[in-house]
Amino acid sequence: MTTLLLSLLLALTLPLPLPLPPSAAPAAVRPLPPPLSVVRWWDPPPTPYAAGHRGVDLAAPVGAELRAVAAGRVHHAGQVAGRGVLSLALANGLRTTYEPVRPLVAEGEEVTAGQVVAVLTEGSHCPEPCLHWGLLSGEAYLNPLTLLARPTPRLLPGPGTDPGTGPGTVTIPFPAADGT
């Protein structure tokens, strides 16, 4: 009982990530072509210096073209700890990060939403190639998936089943900017 009460107290005292106000979070362009496949979800740390996952990992092959999710300016394009990193300062004050990449743009350059800004390289922390995509507001990390339009879940039949008669799988197709 004591453990339960302490856990509840801890959960209630932790700062919650603030949702983005609608004006600060216009529907963004996906950084990769559809469908987005999340390998590892955003898992914010309980404190600024604790372990956590400060972004999402999206499955993609080495060489995949990465797009700016919104218009902005290149904040950083280069190496950080031996990995290629691209950081874009968006017009709404947020900053997105992409790694491991080979940037195709230079610091200070203006970019448009959907512009190809980098190419995915080897060296990710995933077992298979992936893009680590991050989002910051000042020094606070946010879930980058909140930039995208809300997906519409669709139930699909599982392998070897007749539609509507067997168990299915859930896919979450993030819609493209044009609604497709």
Side-chain angles (χ1 to χ4, degrees), residues 154-171:
R154 297 182 189 146
L155 294 177
L156 300 175
T161 62
D162 290 330
T165 62
T169 58
V170 177
T171 61

PDB file of all heavy atoms in Angstrom, residues 154-171:
ATOM      1  N   ARG A 154      -7.000   2.274 -38.635  1.00  0.00           N
ATOM      2  CA  ARG A 154      -7.757   1.404 -39.525  1.00  0.00           C
ATOM      3  C   ARG A 154      -7.446  -0.039 -39.150  1.00  0.00           C
ATOM      4  O   ARG A 154      -6.283  -0.396 -38.993  1.00  0.00           O
ATOM      5  CB  ARG A 154      -7.362   1.641 -40.977  1.00  0.00           C
ATOM      6  CG  ARG A 154      -7.672   3.023 -41.442  1.00  0.00           C
ATOM      7  CD  ARG A 154      -7.307   3.208 -42.889  1.00  0.00           C
ATOM      8  NE  ARG A 154      -7.431   4.618 -43.214  1.00  0.00           N
ATOM      9  CZ  ARG A 154      -6.662   5.252 -44.055  1.00  0.00           C
ATOM     10  NH1 ARG A 154      -5.716   4.621 -44.697  1.00  0.00           N
ATOM     11  NH2 ARG A 154      -6.838   6.522 -44.296  1.00  0.00           N
ATOM     12  N   LEU A 155      -8.474  -0.863 -39.032  1.00  0.00           N
ATOM     13  CA  LEU A 155      -8.276  -2.278 -38.751  1.00  0.00           C
ATOM     14  C   LEU A 155      -8.144  -3.020 -40.062  1.00  0.00           C
ATOM     15  O   LEU A 155      -8.957  -2.861 -40.970  1.00  0.00           O
ATOM     16  CB  LEU A 155      -9.446  -2.837 -37.943  1.00  0.00           C
ATOM     17  CG  LEU A 155      -9.600  -2.272 -36.539  1.00  0.00           C
ATOM     18  CD1 LEU A 155     -10.850  -2.850 -35.883  1.00  0.00           C
ATOM     19  CD2 LEU A 155      -8.386  -2.571 -35.704  1.00  0.00           C
ATOM     20  N   LEU A 156      -7.103  -3.828 -40.152  1.00  0.00           N
ATOM     21  CA  LEU A 156      -6.876  -4.625 -41.341  1.00  0.00           C
ATOM     22  C   LEU A 156      -6.859  -6.092 -40.943  1.00  0.00           C
ATOM     23  O   LEU A 156      -6.425  -6.436 -39.838  1.00  0.00           O
ATOM     24  CB  LEU A 156      -5.540  -4.248 -41.991  1.00  0.00           C
ATOM     25  CG  LEU A 156      -5.400  -2.794 -42.442  1.00  0.00           C
ATOM     26  CD1 LEU A 156      -3.984  -2.542 -42.940  1.00  0.00           C
ATOM     27  CD2 LEU A 156      -6.400  -2.494 -43.539  1.00  0.00           C
ATOM     28  N   PRO A 157      -7.314  -6.980 -41.821  1.00  0.00           N
ATOM     29  CA  PRO A 157      -7.268  -8.404 -41.473  1.00  0.00           C
ATOM     30  C   PRO A 157      -5.831  -8.885 -41.339  1.00  0.00           C
ATOM     31  O   PRO A 157      -4.939  -8.407 -42.029  1.00  0.00           O
ATOM     32  CB  PRO A 157      -7.982  -9.089 -42.638  1.00  0.00           C
ATOM     33  CG  PRO A 157      -7.938  -8.103 -43.749  1.00  0.00           C
ATOM     34  CD  PRO A 157      -7.846  -6.732 -43.137  1.00  0.00           C
ATOM     35  N   GLY A 158      -5.627  -9.802 -40.414  1.00  0.00           N
ATOM     36  CA  GLY A 158      -4.307 -10.396 -40.240  1.00  0.00           C
ATOM     37  C   GLY A 158      -4.008 -11.351 -41.373  1.00  0.00           C
ATOM     38  O   GLY A 158      -4.890 -11.717 -42.155  1.00  0.00           O
ATOM     39  N   PRO A 159      -2.748 -11.814 -41.494  1.00  0.00           N
ATOM     40  CA  PRO A 159      -2.391 -12.737 -42.567  1.00  0.00           C
ATOM     41  C   PRO A 159      -3.181 -14.040 -42.453  1.00  0.00           C
ATOM     42  O   PRO A 159      -3.357 -14.564 -41.362  1.00  0.00           O
ATOM     43  CB  PRO A 159      -0.899 -12.983 -42.348  1.00  0.00           C
ATOM     44  CG  PRO A 159      -0.471 -12.126 -41.217  1.00  0.00           C
ATOM     45  CD  PRO A 159      -1.665 -11.487 -40.619  1.00  0.00           C
ATOM     46  N   GLY A 160      -3.692 -14.503 -43.565  1.00  0.00           N
ATOM     47  CA  GLY A 160      -4.389 -15.780 -43.600  1.00  0.00           C
ATOM     48  C   GLY A 160      -5.790 -15.750 -43.019  1.00  0.00           C
ATOM     49  O   GLY A 160      -6.367 -16.784 -42.733  1.00  0.00           O
ATOM     50  N   THR A 161      -6.362 -14.573 -42.832  1.00  0.00           N
ATOM     51  CA  THR A 161      -7.725 -14.492 -42.302  1.00  0.00           C
ATOM     52  C   THR A 161      -8.625 -13.846 -43.328  1.00  0.00           C
ATOM     53  O   THR A 161      -8.190 -13.062 -44.165  1.00  0.00           O
ATOM     54  CB  THR A 161      -7.780 -13.676 -40.992  1.00  0.00           C
ATOM     55  OG1 THR A 161      -7.346 -12.344 -41.278  1.00  0.00           O
ATOM     56  CG2 THR A 161      -6.922 -14.280 -39.909  1.00  0.00           C
ATOM     57  N   ASP A 162      -9.899 -14.184 -43.245  1.00  0.00           N
ATOM     58  CA  ASP A 162     -10.882 -13.526 -44.097  1.00  0.00           C
ATOM     59  C   ASP A 162     -11.253 -12.200 -43.458  1.00  0.00           C
ATOM     60  O   ASP A 162     -11.426 -12.132 -42.240  1.00  0.00           O
ATOM     61  CB  ASP A 162     -12.144 -14.388 -44.238  1.00  0.00           C
ATOM     62  CG  ASP A 162     -11.891 -15.638 -45.061  1.00  0.00           C
ATOM     63  OD1 ASP A 162     -11.028 -15.583 -45.951  1.00  0.00           O
ATOM     64  OD2 ASP A 162     -12.554 -16.653 -44.794  1.00  0.00           O
ATOM     65  N   PRO A 163     -11.376 -11.162 -44.263  1.00  0.00           N
ATOM     66  CA  PRO A 163     -11.741  -9.862 -43.685  1.00  0.00           C
ATOM     67  C   PRO A 163     -13.029  -9.970 -42.875  1.00  0.00           C
ATOM     68  O   PRO A 163     -14.007 -10.559 -43.311  1.00  0.00           O
ATOM     69  CB  PRO A 163     -11.946  -8.958 -44.901  1.00  0.00           C
ATOM     70  CG  PRO A 163     -11.146  -9.597 -45.989  1.00  0.00           C
ATOM     71  CD  PRO A 163     -11.201 -11.080 -45.702  1.00  0.00           C
ATOM     72  N   GLY A 164     -12.998  -9.433 -41.684  1.00  0.00           N
ATOM     73  CA  GLY A 164     -14.181  -9.408 -40.837  1.00  0.00           C
ATOM     74  C   GLY A 164     -14.419 -10.660 -40.027  1.00  0.00           C
ATOM     75  O   GLY A 164     -15.337 -10.707 -39.225  1.00  0.00           O
ATOM     76  N   THR A 165     -13.616 -11.739 -40.243  1.00  0.00           N
ATOM     77  CA  THR A 165     -13.888 -12.973 -39.504  1.00  0.00           C
ATOM     78  C   THR A 165     -12.766 -13.370 -38.558  1.00  0.00           C
ATOM     79  O   THR A 165     -12.957 -14.217 -37.712  1.00  0.00           O
ATOM     80  CB  THR A 165     -14.120 -14.154 -40.476  1.00  0.00           C
ATOM     81  OG1 THR A 165     -12.926 -14.340 -41.237  1.00  0.00           O
ATOM     82  CG2 THR A 165     -15.299 -13.898 -41.384  1.00  0.00           C
ATOM     83  N   GLY A 166     -11.600 -12.789 -38.701  1.00  0.00           N
ATOM     84  CA  GLY A 166     -10.485 -13.193 -37.850  1.00  0.00           C
ATOM     85  C   GLY A 166      -9.836 -12.010 -37.174  1.00  0.00           C
ATOM     86  O   GLY A 166     -10.223 -10.855 -37.399  1.00  0.00           O
ATOM     87  N   PRO A 167      -8.865 -12.302 -36.320  1.00  0.00           N
ATOM     88  CA  PRO A 167      -8.176 -11.195 -35.649  1.00  0.00           C
ATOM     89  C   PRO A 167      -7.405 -10.360 -36.658  1.00  0.00           C
ATOM     90  O   PRO A 167      -6.945 -10.867 -37.676  1.00  0.00           O
ATOM     91  CB  PRO A 167      -7.233 -11.892 -34.668  1.00  0.00           C
ATOM     92  CG  PRO A 167      -7.043 -13.259 -35.236  1.00  0.00           C
ATOM     93  CD  PRO A 167      -8.314 -13.597 -35.972  1.00  0.00           C
ATOM     94  N   GLY A 168      -7.303  -9.079 -36.389  1.00  0.00           N
ATOM     95  CA  GLY A 168      -6.612  -8.186 -37.310  1.00  0.00           C
ATOM     96  C   GLY A 168      -5.471  -7.465 -36.641  1.00  0.00           C
ATOM     97  O   GLY A 168      -5.205  -7.642 -35.465  1.00  0.00           O
ATOM     98  N   THR A 169      -4.815  -6.652 -37.416  1.00  0.00           N
ATOM     99  CA  THR A 169      -3.744  -5.823 -36.891  1.00  0.00           C
ATOM    100  C   THR A 169      -4.162  -4.372 -37.053  1.00  0.00           C
ATOM    101  O   THR A 169      -5.018  -4.051 -37.878  1.00  0.00           O
ATOM    102  CB  THR A 169      -2.434  -6.061 -37.659  1.00  0.00           C
ATOM    103  OG1 THR A 169      -2.651  -5.778 -39.028  1.00  0.00           O
ATOM    104  CG2 THR A 169      -1.945  -7.478 -37.496  1.00  0.00           C
ATOM    105  N   VAL A 170      -3.591  -3.528 -36.266  1.00  0.00           N
ATOM    106  CA  VAL A 170      -3.920  -2.114 -36.347  1.00  0.00           C
ATOM    107  C   VAL A 170      -2.749  -1.391 -37.003  1.00  0.00           C
ATOM    108  O   VAL A 170      -1.609  -1.551 -36.591  1.00  0.00           O
ATOM    109  CB  VAL A 170      -4.176  -1.526 -34.944  1.00  0.00           C
ATOM    110  CG1 VAL A 170      -4.435  -0.033 -35.035  1.00  0.00           C
ATOM    111  CG2 VAL A 170      -5.343  -2.235 -34.286  1.00  0.00           C
ATOM    112  N   THR A 171      -3.041  -0.630 -38.032  1.00  0.00           N
ATOM    113  CA  THR A 171      -2.025   0.227 -38.627  1.00  0.00           C
ATOM    114  C   THR A 171      -2.475   1.656 -38.412  1.00  0.00           C
ATOM    115  O   THR A 171      -3.672   1.946 -38.380  1.00  0.00           O
ATOM    116  CB  THR A 171      -1.840  -0.036 -40.140  1.00  0.00           C
ATOM    117  OG1 THR A 171      -3.075   0.242 -40.793  1.00  0.00           O
ATOM    118  CG2 THR A 171      -1.407  -1.447 -40.409  1.00  0.00           C
TER     119      THR A 171
END
